[in-house]
Amino acid sequence: MPSVEEQRSLREQVSHALRAALVAGELRPGIVYS
């Protein structure tokens, strides 16, 4: 059985990772990252 991570789309995975980084203070809102 595939894990939950494998079932999510790439877009969902990226969205989750960015949200987690914002909450953890690793990224700041309003800053453009490339």
Side-chain angles (χ1 to χ4, degrees), residues 21-34:
L22 283 167
V23 170
E26 297 170 6
L27 298 177
R28 292 185 9 215
I31 303 295
V32 176
Y33 295 92
S34 62

Side-chain angles (χ1 to χ4, degrees), residues 4-18:
V4 173
E5 191 70 23
E6 291 171 337
Q7 293 176 359
R8 291 194 304 189
S9 70
L10 180 59
R11 183 179 187 133
E12 289 175 296
Q13 291 176 48
V14 170
S15 176
H16 178 76
L18 288 173

